[in-house]
Amino acid sequence: MITYNKETKTFRLDMLESTYCITISERGYIAHTYFGSKIGEDDISYLTRQYEYGFSKEKIFREKHSLLDFLPQELPTDGLGDFRESALAITNSTGNNGVELKYKSHTISDGTKPIEGLPAVFGDNAQTLEITTEDPVLGVEVVLVYTVFEELNAIVRSTRIINNGKESVYIRKALSAAFDMDNDNYDMITLHGSWARERHIDRRPIHMGKQGVVSMRGETSHQEHPFIAIMDHNADQNNGRVYGVNFIYSGNFVANVQCNQFDSIRTVIGINPENFSWKLNSDDSFETPQAVLVYSDKGLNGMSHTFHDLYREHLIRSPYKKSMRPILINNWEATYFNFNTEKLLDIAREASKDGIEMLVMDDGWFGHRSSDDSSLGDWFVNEEKIKGGLKHLVDEVNKLGMKFGIWFEPEMISPDSELYKAHPDYAIQIPGREPGMSRQQLVIDITRKEVEDCIYNQVAKILHSANIEYVKWDMNRQLADIGSLNLPADQIGEFYHRYVLALYRMQERLITEFPNLLLENCSGGGARFDPGMFYYSPQIWCSDDTDAYERLSIQEGTALVYPLSTMGAHVSVCPNHAVGRVTPFKTRGYVALSGTFGYELDITKLSEEDRKMIPNQVALYKKYSDLVRNGDYWRVASCRENNEYDCWMSVSKDKSKALITFIQILNHANYKTRFIKLNGLDDQKKYKVIFPDEDQEKFAPYTLTGLSIKNAGIAVSRDWGDFQGKLIYLEEVK
């Protein structure tokens, strides 16, 4: 997969259907050479443009500044003549800036390389290239790390910075990946949003200058997402070149594209350098989080398949990664803070009758919490609410044949709590300033080991006290007022990153001590939906907005990068609690079926008509969960683009079966039948077309070849009413 040509000084990284090339330039710089569809084993070092030809066709080497401002680089540095976006900036002990990295050595090894304290991909069918560069003036070595997998079109990149000098240096910017290429009339896709409308797709042409996304909220955020796709202007779901870039990290980030004077574009991704610095003492090292670069010449669907397979097979570690998740019912929208043992048991009793498998007790069970203004940090049971204690409640739920789950918000502290009254210094704050409140709470400083231990031990004690099999780990505000009682003045810039490392450390402790626990991460909905969290939890709550129509855009943007198996999705009541919209209960089930599937409602108050649908929804989930969880996701149509209907499909790896979800948006008086054309099947196979949730006399199965389904389509009739849905199941006829 990885080879080195000594004559041309070129590294070649061959993937399933693509090639990535790196050249050591004449002056020793590490030059980006090629990234795209597979090419022959030729000398392509000319693509670096490190020299030009004169009138007599002799090579003319560029002067240093001209070269650095033109050369496509693998890790562009700051201060010495490359005036484009840099990926590495270091200040020495005298305050001088400037980094000049030149080739020193390299190794090619089988397998992957773990990163201490950070999530990292794993797997045996991989190779890793490490290119060691050095700046002898700074006394610094920088190792560029590249991992490729035999079966994927993905490169996983990171850097390791080592201080071999005698004095400390300060890293002011340490991005994980960069690559340059000519601008070929490309578009860019980013994912934007806010609370309850996360990861909406935004596509626009790349223009001159810098454009991209950033987060300074201490987490991935609702507002922006650590992902960029660069694609042909005419690329679509199934055709055209797409370059996808994603960041395996759960903190502040930057992902930028810069189009420069030569109409070349540089793409970078990594830790946001704003308010970041890292003091690197002699003989110490700093490793950046991993970035993922994906290439597809088969449109956005091809890119999505690679991301999904990489994360399912090489990042998620949970024992649940390939298992059917228990169908849960969460009491948050059912009761909010107003519940007790008997109310929870009432919900559990009714839920168990319809095949729901787990009760999750959400916010409000601890301290003296009856609203959102108290008790965070006091992780002990409120026995005025949970009469008889937690174990009694859990045992009673287990007697019904159901599992039990619980909600925590371990990173937060309420001023109205026993913990804060005893330790007000545990809250993150700038000395001398009153810290700002958000959702009537503060963030706790888990970067301090004694604070981390205090919170973790409380959580672990609760989990040991009863048979708790699921944890929802929430975070309902962002970081601000950044100060530290532990860090000296010249290391305050390390706080944000140290916070993320502490979060990872706590979750690693949790899943190590409780290896069979199903952990679901959450942050006010989807503010922490990023690949870094997959390393600890196989699923993440996708959004607090459970409205079926709103979820179409949220889940489309999420599934562009992440497997359906990772998306927390529930059926809730109408009018919807977030937007007040009324959609059919059946449609709500279809939309949630393309996620982890569960319920967010008071089943004891559900209408008889809706209640009767639950056993069938449960049966559909159990029948198709494996296909949705492990199959290839294909986006067929988007209501974001056509304003009429949404459609997507999950296809088994052997292409023997598929499940299509079709959602009609607003109906109008045009009853013309739609023909849905589907890529992703085997042209030569014959498929039985089944409408599994419809009247089988009206929708009797029929047979079509994959070729006919692709080019002629499947007939889907219009239904009367808005927000109507259909499921279509395709099964190979042997």
Side-chain angles (χ1 to χ4, degrees):
M1 288 178 280
I2 301 176
T3 57
Y4 177 62
N5 187 315
K6 292 182 179 179
E7 293 182 3
T8 63
K9 296 183 179 180
T10 297
F11 299 93
R12 180 182 174 116
L13 290 72
D14 278 312
M15 292 154 281
L16 184 67
E17 299 170 328
S18 56
T19 300
Y20 190 102
C21 292
I22 305 162
T23 299
I24 305 169
S25 79
E26 294 284 349
R27 290 181 171 85
Y29 302 118
I30 309 302
H32 176 75
T33 312
Y34 178 80
F35 186 22
S37 299
K38 272 200 171 179
I39 56 175
E41 295 183 8
D42 303 299
D43 179 6
I44 59 165
S45 61
Y46 62 89
L47 294 175
T48 64
R49 293 192 179 101
Q50 61 181 300
Y51 46 79
E52 291 294 328
Y53 291 96
F55 292 109
S56 59
K57 296 186 179 181
E58 76 278 10
K59 287 183 180 179
I60 300 175
F61 290 99
R62 297 178 182 273
E63 294 176 302
K64 182 176 178 179
H65 277 193
S66 174
L67 176 67
L68 289 176
D69 199 30
F70 201 102
L71 186 70
Q73 297 190 59
E74 285 294 309
L75 197 74
T77 58
D78 171 71
L80 296 179
D82 185 345
F83 300 102
R84 297 164 289 175
E85 179 89 3
S86 66
L88 180 65
I90 297 175
T91 300
N92 67 9
S93 59
T94 63
N96 290 312
N97 302 317
V99 184
E100 186 170 28
L101 300 177
K102 294 193 176 183
Y103 173 83
K104 180 180 180 183
S105 63
H106 74 270
T107 62
I108 299 171
S109 58
D110 290 335
T112 59
K113 299 289 184 179
I115 303 177
E116 185 178 358
L118 286 168
V121 297
F122 56 84
D124 296 328
N125 53 338
Q127 281 191 323
T128 297
L129 166 66
E130 294 181 283
I131 302 174
T132 300
T133 63
E134 65 176 346
D135 182 331
V137 175
L138 283 175
V140 166
E141 284 186 352
V142 179
V143 182
L144 285 62
V145 185
Y146 305 77
T147 295
V148 293
F149 291 89
E150 185 176 9
E151 79 279 15
L152 296 171
N153 293 304
I155 298 169
V156 182
R157 289 190 56 180
S158 64
T159 62
R160 184 166 63 253
I161 305 160
I162 307 158
N163 184 2
N164 292 325
K166 296 180 179 180
E167 296 182 336
S168 298
V169 297
Y170 293 86
I171 303 169
R172 295 183 292 107
K173 188 177 190 181
L175 305 188
S176 295
F179 65 96
D180 298 325
M181 58 186 181
D182 289 348
N183 182 16
D184 197 5
N185 192 29
Y186 287 123
D187 284 358
M188 178 175 71
I189 283 180
T190 52
L191 302 176
H192 299 267
S194 185
W195 173 80
R197 51 188 187 275
E198 298 89 342
R199 292 174 300 286
H200 283 219
I201 294 173
D202 182 52
R203 179 171 178 172
R204 58 200 183 276
I206 292 176
H207 55 74
M208 295 300 293
K210 192 183 297 184
Q211 54 242 265
V213 288
V214 298
S215 174
M216 271 301 300
R217 297 170 182 267
E219 60 174 354
T220 295
S221 85
H222 299 94
Q223 290 74 17
E224 307 290 0
H225 199 74
F227 165 80
I228 281 182
I230 301 162
M231 58 197 299
D232 289 330
H233 182 65
N234 61 352
D236 56 24
Q237 297 294 343
N238 302 303
N239 304 285
R241 296 172 298 171
V242 181
Y243 299 85
V245 185
N246 198 202
F247 194 31
I248 304 178
Y249 189 62
S250 307
N252 295 340
F253 67 84
V254 60
N256 276 337
V257 172
Q258 183 182 25
C259 186
N260 69 11
Q261 59 182 328
F262 302 112
D263 201 26
S264 296
I265 58 176
R266 170 169 289 172
T267 303
V268 300
I269 194 165
I271 295 173
N272 193 331
E274 185 174 349
N275 292 337
F276 168 84
S277 68
W278 194 272
K279 184 178 182 179
L280 196 64
N281 293 319
S282 178
D283 296 328
D284 280 353
S285 64
F286 178 87
E287 293 188 82
T288 69
Q290 291 181 331
V292 180
L293 281 56
V294 166
Y295 173 76
S296 165
D297 60 5
K298 297 178 177 62
L300 289 168
N301 280 325
M303 178 198 73
S304 297
H305 296 161
T306 299
F307 275 122
H308 291 193
D309 287 344
L310 175 70
Y311 293 150
R312 278 188 300 216
E313 299 298 326
H314 301 291
L315 189 60
I316 298 173
R317 300 177 293 165
S318 168
Y320 282 91
K321 66 185 284 183
K322 293 190 175 180
S323 301
M324 187 181 299
R325 317 288 161 77
I327 301 169
L328 65 83
I329 186 166
N330 185 297
N331 76 296
W332 178 240
E333 289 191 16
T335 66
Y336 294 101
F337 294 104
N338 186 26
F339 64 87
N340 57 27
T341 295
E342 195 52 42
K343 179 59 182 176
L344 294 176
L345 289 176
D346 283 345
I347 293 173
R349 291 184 191 104
E350 294 304 310
S352 66
K353 295 175 184 177
D354 292 333
I356 296 173
E357 299 164 316
M358 178 186 286
L359 174 72
V360 175
M361 180 174 65
D362 211 282
D363 192 358
W365 57 267
F366 53 93
H368 61 277
R369 187 146 166 112
S370 56
S371 65
D372 65 0
D373 62 358
S374 76
S375 302
L376 292 170
D378 294 345
W379 300 109
F380 51 84
V381 176
N382 180 347
E383 297 202 10
E384 290 185 12
K385 277 188 176 182
I386 312 302
K387 296 187 184 300
L390 183 59
K391 188 175 188 307
H392 166 71
L393 171 60
V394 176
D395 288 347
E396 291 301 307
V397 170
N398 290 165
K399 288 176 184 177
L400 296 169
M402 297 180 71
K403 300 175 184 291
F404 187 88
I406 195 169
W407 177 96
F408 288 98
E409 196 173 1
E411 299 160 74
M412 300 296 149
I413 187 168
S414 301
D416 181 12
S417 67
E418 291 184 16
L419 183 62
Y420 185 84
K421 290 168 186 174
H423 298 285
D425 60 295
Y426 279 12
I428 297 173
Q429 55 197 290
I430 299 172
R433 292 188 183 275
E434 181 181 354
M437 299 278 280
S438 179
R439 205 174 179 263
Q440 304 186 74
Q441 60 197 55
L442 301 170
V443 184
I444 201 164
D445 187 356
I446 57 173
T447 69
R448 295 165 56 185
K449 190 64 168 64
E450 69 273 22
V451 180
E452 175 195 326
D453 289 342
C454 170
I455 297 300
Y456 179 81
N457 290 336
Q458 287 188 65
V459 171
K461 184 177 180 180
I462 290 290
L463 297 182
H464 280 299
S465 72
N467 184 29
I468 299 169
E469 301 180 66
Y470 162 103
V471 162
K472 181 179 178 181
W473 183 304
D474 208 345
M475 180 195 189
N476 279 302
R477 64 155 289 179
Q478 290 80 44
L479 275 62
D481 304 296
I482 301 304
S484 173
L485 296 181
N486 274 17
L487 294 174
D490 64 345
Q491 291 183 259
I492 291 294
E494 302 176 11
F495 185 88
Y496 279 113
H497 185 57
R498 288 183 181 275
Y499 186 93
V500 178
L501 295 176
L503 166 69
Y504 289 154
R505 188 166 58 242
M506 288 181 74
Q507 295 208 351
E508 185 70 30
R509 291 174 70 178
L510 187 71
I511 62 173
T512 300
E513 188 168 351
F514 303 94
N516 296 316
L517 186 73
L518 174 55
L519 177 62
E520 177 170 291
N521 269 289
C522 173
S523 179
R528 212 176 235 166
F529 206 115
D530 63 68
M533 303 316 303
F534 293 159
Y535 199 63
Y536 309 96
S537 63
Q539 61 193 55
I540 302 169
W541 184 228
C542 199
S543 175
D544 279 348
D545 188 343
T546 55
D547 171 67
Y549 172 67
E550 294 279 314
R551 272 296 183 114
L552 295 177
S553 294
I554 294 168
Q555 292 182 192
E556 179 189 5
T558 306
L560 186 66
V561 189
Y562 306 116
L564 303 188
S565 63
T566 65
M567 298 193 310
H570 293 170
V571 179
S572 60
V573 296
C574 283
N576 178 265
H577 286 206
V579 299
R581 185 178 288 110
V582 175
T583 56
F585 196 82
K586 179 185 286 190
T587 301
R588 286 174 255 160
Y590 292 163
V591 174
L593 188 65
S594 288
T596 57
F597 195 75
Y599 292 89
E600 193 90 15
L601 46 77
D602 187 346
I603 196 171
T604 69
K605 296 179 180 178
L606 208 57
S607 71
E608 184 176 353
E609 180 183 3
D610 289 351
R611 175 73 184 268
K612 286 180 178 178
M613 296 187 198
I614 291 180
N616 184 57
Q617 290 178 342
V618 168
L620 287 171
Y621 170 75
K622 291 190 173 182
K623 182 174 182 179
Y624 299 120
S625 174
D626 183 70
L627 178 55
V628 170
R629 194 174 60 252
N630 298 316
D632 287 330
Y633 163 84
W634 291 80
R635 173 54 57 172
V636 179
S638 170
C639 64
R640 173 182 54 84
E641 297 174 339
N642 62 41
N643 297 316
E644 286 195 13
Y645 65 94
D646 219 56
C647 188
W648 64 92
M649 175 173 67
S650 294
V651 183
S652 63
K653 289 292 187 181
D654 63 1
K655 300 185 184 296
S656 66
K657 52 190 175 182
L659 182 70
I660 300 101
T661 307
F662 177 93
I663 307 294
Q664 174 179 288
I665 311 303
L666 298 181
N667 198 18
H668 53 84
N670 176 2
Y671 295 98
K672 182 179 179 180
T673 297
R674 295 184 179 93
F675 299 112
I676 306 301
K677 300 174 183 179
L678 307 174
N679 285 273
L681 303 171
D682 187 315
D683 287 354
Q684 305 308 314
K685 291 183 187 289
K686 287 188 175 182
Y687 295 92
K688 184 183 289 186
V689 182
I690 304 167
F691 292 79
D693 206 22
E694 305 287 351
D695 181 349
Q696 290 306 309
E697 291 186 8
K698 182 179 178 182
F699 294 94
Y702 57 94
T703 301
L704 289 172
T705 62
L707 189 62
S708 293
I709 292 171
K710 179 172 70 175
N711 294 326
I714 294 174
V716 179
S717 61
R718 289 181 179 271
D719 283 342
W720 189 81
D722 297 333
F723 309 114
Q724 300 296 318
K726 291 184 186 296
L727 292 181
I728 306 166
Y729 179 60
L730 306 180
E731 187 174 62
E732 181 184 1
V733 178
K734 298 291 186 180

